[in-house]
Amino acid sequence: MAAASASATSLFLPSSFKLNAPTNNSVTLRFPLLNRRSNGFRIAASVSVSNPNVRTGPDDLVASILSKVVQTDGGVLLKNEEHKEVAEVAQELQKYCVSEPVKCPLIFGEWDVVYCSRPTSPGGGYRSAIGRLFFNTKEMVQAVEAPDIVRNKVTLSVLGFLDAEVSLKGKLTALDSEWIKVIFEAPEIKVGSWKVQYGGQSEVKLKITYVDDKIRLGLGSRGSLFVFQRI
């Protein structure tokens, strides 16, 4: 399942701001450059905690995870170590998740699929190493509509000049307070005025591990981590 968010919270510090070297009881803050999609430049914020007893709040963690995944082509451009950093922040964010996220109305809305730990998972073959030679992903969006409809849409550029769109419609079922199942109809591909439905039904299961008014995190049944940013 592919489906997080308004722009990340911006963190600004003067260029002269410095922190002393970390001690066993200190918190180290690093502020490299971070993506802001609306302005086309990166303002990044990352948080590392040297003392496990000291935790940052969810707002800082949300800003941190978005700074790591936005404008990475859904995670394709990240190195293994960077994927690990995303997973660490996601694991910390889980501690702030509402008790029954499946029942939370915040799951509804339109979401950018900004990251997957298996970057080729959203979009299927179009996002594979070979597929990316011919198809450039422009957008991956998931709409979750009350009470139980999920719509996935991948917008592509074919060979750099022809626009295409692959869409799926599915029915959502809650399995428990955290896990959902979506059964999708056969996908439809549209190129210009031409469109065709192909393949068959598919099924995905996803655990909602965090949701707020900015992002949603999901964990697939095979362990893939998804980050959705609210549109």
Side-chain angles (χ1 to χ4, degrees):
M1 176 178 179
S5 71
S7 299
T9 303
S10 299
L11 300 176
F12 297 94
L13 287 177
S15 58
S16 59
F17 182 85
K18 294 182 180 180
L19 290 174
N20 295 328
T23 65
N24 290 334
N25 295 316
S26 68
V27 177
T28 302
L29 299 180
R30 295 180 295 110
F31 295 89
L33 217 74
L34 178 182
N35 272 344
R36 276 191 76 176
R37 297 173 54 192
S38 59
N39 294 326
F41 59 87
R42 297 194 79 182
I43 304 173
S46 66
V47 179
S48 63
V49 180
S50 57
N51 185 340
N53 296 318
V54 180
R55 295 178 184 170
T56 56
D59 289 344
D60 292 334
L61 293 168
V62 167
S64 178
I65 200 168
L66 285 175
S67 75
K68 297 175 186 297
V69 301
V70 170
Q71 292 189 359
T72 63
D73 193 12
V76 171
L77 303 180
L78 295 183
K79 300 177 182 178
N80 288 338
E81 186 61 33
E82 292 170 314
H83 282 290
K84 292 179 181 178
E85 292 177 2
V86 174
E88 289 172 0
V89 180
Q91 186 173 16
E92 189 68 17
L93 260 175
Q94 290 182 40
K95 300 171 184 177
Y96 297 94
C97 187
V98 295
S99 58
E100 296 184 301
V102 167
K103 297 181 180 180
C104 181
L106 289 174
I107 67 173
F108 299 112
E110 286 194 334
W111 305 85
D112 256 342
V113 187
V114 292
Y115 173 82
C116 180
S117 56
R118 295 176 58 191
T120 59
S121 182
Y126 301 102
R127 299 269 298 160
S128 67
I130 295 177
R132 291 199 306 275
L133 295 175
F134 304 96
F135 301 96
N136 176 42
T137 304
K138 299 173 66 175
E139 188 178 47
M140 294 186 292
V141 174
Q142 180 177 87
V144 184
E145 304 170 357
D148 58 3
I149 298 298
V150 178
R151 301 179 192 273
N152 289 355
K153 182 177 70 174
V154 180
T155 304
L156 306 160
S157 175
V158 184
L159 299 176
F161 67 91
L162 189 62
D163 288 337
E165 181 180 294
V166 181
S167 59
L168 299 91
K169 179 182 177 182
K171 183 175 177 60
L172 181 153
T173 303
L175 300 178
D176 58 24
S177 62
E178 297 178 328
W179 282 89
I180 61 173
K181 177 177 71 173
V182 182
I183 298 179
F184 286 102
E185 301 172 1
E188 178 183 89
I189 184 169
K190 180 180 179 182
V191 181
S193 60
W194 177 84
K195 61 182 179 180
V196 65
Q197 201 166 24
Y198 64 97
Q201 287 188 339
S202 59
E203 176 184 308
V204 297
K205 295 179 181 179
L206 191 78
K207 179 182 180 182
I208 301 173
T209 59
Y210 181 81
V211 63
D212 66 13
D213 60 343
K214 298 181 181 70
I215 71 168
R216 174 164 56 93
L217 303 182
L219 190 66
S221 57
R222 297 182 181 180
S224 297
L225 170 65
F226 292 86
V227 179
F228 304 90
Q229 182 178 23
R230 191 181 299 277
I231 298 174

